[in-house]
Amino acid sequence: MEYYSKQIGDLIAALSHLPGIGSKTAQRLAFHILSMPKDQVAHLAKAITDARENVRYCKECMTLTDEELCPICRNPKRNHRQIMVVENPRDLAAYEKTGKYEGVYHVLHGAISPMNGIGPGDIKLKELMVRLQKEDIDEVIIATNSSLEGETTAMYISKLVKPSGIKVTRIASGVPVGGDIEYIDEVTLLRALEGRTEL
Ligand code: ZN
C-alpha cells in the first residue's frame, strides 16, 4: 500500500483485520472515515474504545454486557429455572428477537471442536456447571448450532448435566443442518424451540 501515505495505510491495514473486510472494503471504509466530520470520527473511536474497555462477561450467563449482570439476568420476570445454552451472544439475540422465550441463557462463547483444537475447557462450560450446582434449575435447553461442533457440544453437555437429574432438551431440527442460528428466521427458531426433545 505504498501509494497511500503512512497514516492512511495504517488505517486501511487496521480495518482490513476485521472479519469479512477485504482490502477493497477496508479502503472504501478508510476514505469514508476520512470524509466524515471530525466529531463523528471521535464518537466512533470513543464508542469502540469504551465498549472494549467496559464490556465484560455477565456474572451469571456469560453474555457480553457493560454491567455486572446483563438485563436478562436482572429481569425478575424471566424464568430463572430454565436455561438456554447458546454458542454466542448473536444467537442469544436471535432468540430474544422471537420475543417468546421467557427463560434465561448461558453463552458458551464457542463450541467444542477437536479438529480446531477447541476442547471443553476452552468454552464457558465450567461456568454453566457451577451455575447448575448453585441454583434450582428445571430445564437446560441446548440450542447450539446443528453443525458438527454444535452437535458434539450438545452431546457433551447432555452427558455432563443428565446425572444431576436436571431435564436436558435439544432444540428441534427445524434449524437446518450446519445452519447458523443467528441467520435463521424467527418462525423457524420458535418452531425449533417448541419442538425440542428430551435428550
Ligand atoms: Zn446475564
Side-chain angles (χ1 to χ4, degrees), residues 67-167:
E67 286 162 293
E68 195 166 67
L69 282 177
C70 74
I72 296 169
C73 289
R74 263 200 333 257
N75 187 345
K77 290 194 186 114
R78 306 289 296 227
N79 177 2
H80 289 258
R81 299 171 71 104
Q82 190 179 43
I83 299 180
M84 185 193 285
V85 180
V86 293
E87 290 184 22
N88 58 57
R90 298 185 308 277
D91 294 346
L92 179 157
Y95 267 102
E96 277 305 281
K97 261 190 262 165
T98 68
K100 292 274 160 60
Y101 176 64
E102 282 163 359
V104 292
Y105 296 89
H106 187 87
V107 181
L108 295 171
H109 294 278
I112 298 169
S113 173
M115 254 168 53
N116 295 312
I118 301 168
D122 299 313
I123 58 176
K124 303 282 179 201
L125 208 52
K126 198 176 74 234
E127 289 79 356
L128 173 66
M129 297 315 290
V130 169
R131 213 173 149 189
L132 296 181
Q133 272 162 21
K134 69 172 206 254
E135 289 170 51
D136 269 337
I137 305 298
D138 295 331
E139 182 182 5
V140 171
I141 304 169
I142 306 177
T144 50
N145 285 323
S146 56
S147 59
L148 177 61
E149 291 80 8
E151 293 299 345
T152 307
T153 309
M155 282 302 125
Y156 191 89
I157 294 174
S158 157
K159 271 195 203 135
L160 219 54
V161 177
K162 273 178 98 175
S164 67
I166 299 170
K167 184 175 169 190

Side-chain angles (χ1 to χ4, degrees), residues 5-20:
S5 65
K6 182 173 180 310
Q7 293 191 348
I8 299 175
D10 283 352
L11 179 58
I12 294 170
L15 290 167
S16 67
H17 288 144
L18 297 172

Side-chain angles (χ1 to χ4, degrees), residues 58 60-63 69-70 73:
C58 167
E60 194 78 12
C61 74
M62 298 292 132
T63 195
L69 282 177
C70 74
C73 289

Side-chain angles (χ1 to χ4, degrees), residues 24-96:
K24 266 192 188 153
T25 307
Q27 291 180 51
R28 199 161 47 80
L29 287 172
F31 286 108
H32 177 78
I33 290 168
L34 292 173
S35 72
M36 280 161 63
K38 279 187 184 167
D39 61 329
Q40 268 183 39
V41 176
H43 181 78
L44 172 64
K46 191 174 178 314
I48 293 172
T49 42
D50 281 357
R52 184 63 190 88
E53 195 63 39
N54 301 316
V55 170
R56 51 194 144 148
Y57 295 124
C58 167
K59 207 174 74 178
E60 194 78 12
C61 74
M62 298 292 132
T63 195
L64 297 173
T65 175
D66 54 10
E67 286 162 293
E68 195 166 67
L69 282 177
C70 74
I72 296 169
C73 289
R74 263 200 333 257
N75 187 345
K77 290 194 186 114
R78 306 289 296 227
N79 177 2
H80 289 258
R81 299 171 71 104
Q82 190 179 43
I83 299 180
M84 185 193 285
V85 180
V86 293
E87 290 184 22
N88 58 57
R90 298 185 308 277
D91 294 346
L92 179 157
Y95 267 102
E96 277 305 281

